[in-house]
Amino acid sequence: MRRAISNKTIARSNEEFELRRGPWTLEEDKLLTHYITFHGEGRWNLLAKCAGLRRTGKSCRLRWLNYLKPDIKRGNLTPKEQLLILELHSKWGNRWSKIAQHLPGRTDNEIKNYWRTRVQKQARQLKIDSNSHKFLEAIRCFWMPRLLEKMAQASSSSSSSSSISTMETQNLTIPSQLSNQTPINEKSFPSSYSSDSTQKSQVFDILKNPESPPAQSFGNTGYSNSVLDDYYQVDISNFDMECFNNSVISTQGSGDFSFSERHISDWVNGDMGPTFWDMDELWQYRMAEEVVGV
DNA sequence: AACCGAAGCAACCGCCTACGG
DNA sequence: TCCGTAGGCGGTTGCTTCGGT
């Protein structure tokens, strides 16, 4: 009997110290949030013990930073956020946390997931290495222009003074440090991007100086209530590759891409091959033809 | 309605670095 | 200088959800 009780006690003791894994429960979230609210972050292992959580310190830290922290922004990435990710990734590569510093409310994990699920998916479908120059060039020439156009369109719909048409986006050149052939400068922005030079230069500053403190980045800091937010805060559900809708892109000269009147005309007349209402189809079709050279 | 594959994402793992003793 | 620990980061895994058949 004594031995039975002893074994039971030992078993319970082991159970008590056994670390939990897997999805967090509501109760655990409450414990962690409550503890941090009153005691602050840091000393994660100690925090886990004191809060009564059977989790590793690492696990607690991750849960807090990626999910529970009050300023975490949920929902789809806006076009401007996507653009910034593309731009910063071209500069820094997989430095997710560094990139995340410039997207207030977004976590490195979220950005990493976005890159892997959305961006790398396209590379896989095209059978090209997502780290290759070819793919980076494709992003610069195809994806980014569409994001810019989408943002401009959104701004034009909210502001009667600035309008943008597809035709106006001809010869669009994307600011990027990805390629040396396209040095970043303020003139790189389409003229139709904004009639307000102040707005244009603010966007330019962020892309040009990503090293600047996050406080000067997008979102609710620095430029809070700035034109940037009014200008680019677009809530477009599931917006990413569908940004290519209606777009027709051609190659010109030394690898620079621009919208061409001829292709627009072709598109209007329905001579553009696959139905371009399907984004993946468009992407694969045009990329295979223009970039991969198939 | 059931099944299945793909996509999305939360969580974990392992490695690296910084720091204090 | 070495060692142990904590924290941070990028890569990977696996569960859940969604959409198609």
Side-chain angles (χ1 to χ4, degrees), chain A residues 19-293:
Chain A
L19 290 171
R20 269 186 50 76
R21 294 181 57 185
W24 280 64
T25 64
L26 188 62
E27 191 59 33
E28 287 178 311
D29 283 346
K30 278 181 188 170
L31 279 173
L32 182 58
T33 306
H34 186 264
Y35 188 89
I36 291 176
T37 302
F38 288 98
H39 301 94
E41 302 175 38
R43 305 294 302 272
W44 293 102
N45 283 332
L46 186 66
L47 183 153
K49 284 195 184 83
C50 294
L53 289 158
R54 283 152 53 187
R55 295 274 184 175
T56 64
K58 274 189 172 189
S59 183
C60 293
R61 174 182 164 273
L62 215 59
R63 183 65 178 172
W64 175 253
L65 293 179
N66 287 342
Y67 198 82
L68 298 173
K69 214 173 173 182
D71 55 358
I72 294 292
K73 210 189 281 179
R74 327 271 342 154
N76 295 313
L77 292 162
T78 63
K80 80 176 180 190
E81 287 174 322
Q82 293 180 52
L83 182 66
L84 200 54
I85 290 170
L86 296 177
E87 177 64 29
L88 295 180
H89 186 274
S90 75
K91 182 180 170 64
W92 293 325
N94 297 355
R95 302 289 305 280
W96 307 118
S97 62
K98 196 170 182 180
I99 293 171
Q101 287 173 7
H102 295 272
L103 287 106
R106 301 295 187 181
T107 67
D108 54 351
N109 211 32
E110 192 176 9
I111 293 167
K112 182 168 59 182
N113 281 332
Y114 166 74
W115 187 265
R116 291 190 64 82
T117 57
R118 313 287 170 81
V119 182
Q120 289 197 334
K121 179 182 135 190
Q122 301 305 324
R124 280 198 306 274
Q125 289 177 348
L126 288 161
K127 295 185 174 66
I128 49 177
D129 182 5
S130 61
N131 293 318
S132 68
H133 176 76
K134 195 171 276 185
F135 185 67
L136 294 176
E137 191 72 5
I139 286 175
R140 185 177 72 84
C141 299
F142 285 80
W143 201 331
M144 293 171 88
R146 303 305 303 133
L147 286 170
L148 285 168
E149 189 187 23
K150 202 74 186 177
M151 294 191 300
Q153 282 174 348
S155 96
S156 72
S157 67
S158 64
S159 163
S160 58
S161 62
S162 84
S163 66
I164 182 170
S165 70
T166 307
M167 301 301 282
E168 284 174 319
T169 64
Q170 287 179 65
N171 303 315
L172 188 63
T173 307
I174 300 311
S176 171
Q177 292 170 332
L178 178 152
S179 166
N180 291 333
Q181 65 182 305
T182 314
I184 185 168
N185 61 62
E186 202 162 349
K187 288 178 183 172
S188 297
F189 285 85
S191 58
S192 54
Y193 206 47
S194 167
S195 56
D196 184 335
S197 61
T198 308
Q199 292 178 5
K200 203 160 59 179
S201 68
Q202 284 187 359
V203 181
F204 164 69
D205 284 345
I206 291 168
L207 292 178
K208 193 180 87 174
N209 303 310
E211 297 284 357
S212 61
Q216 290 187 9
S217 296
F218 294 127
N220 50 11
T221 56
Y223 289 117
S224 65
N225 248 354
S226 72
V227 281
L228 266 182
D229 278 333
D230 295 339
Y231 203 54
Y232 296 122
Q233 196 68 46
V234 190
D235 182 20
I236 302 171
S237 299
N238 301 317
F239 178 89
D240 50 290
M241 295 309 293
E242 66 267 36
C243 65
F244 286 95
N245 270 342
N246 303 336
S247 77
V248 184
I249 301 163
S250 73
T251 322
Q252 276 188 353
S254 57
D256 285 325
F257 294 81
S258 66
F259 297 91
S260 84
E261 279 186 55
R262 183 180 66 79
H263 281 109
I264 291 166
S265 168
D266 287 346
W267 170 69
V268 169
N269 294 323
D271 295 333
M272 290 306 296
T275 54
F276 283 9
W277 301 104
D278 180 87
M279 203 34 55
D280 284 345
E281 209 173 330
L282 166 64
W283 172 260
Q284 287 175 48
Y285 178 81
R286 299 303 298 178
M287 286 286 293
E289 187 182 73
E290 315 261 11
V291 178
V292 187

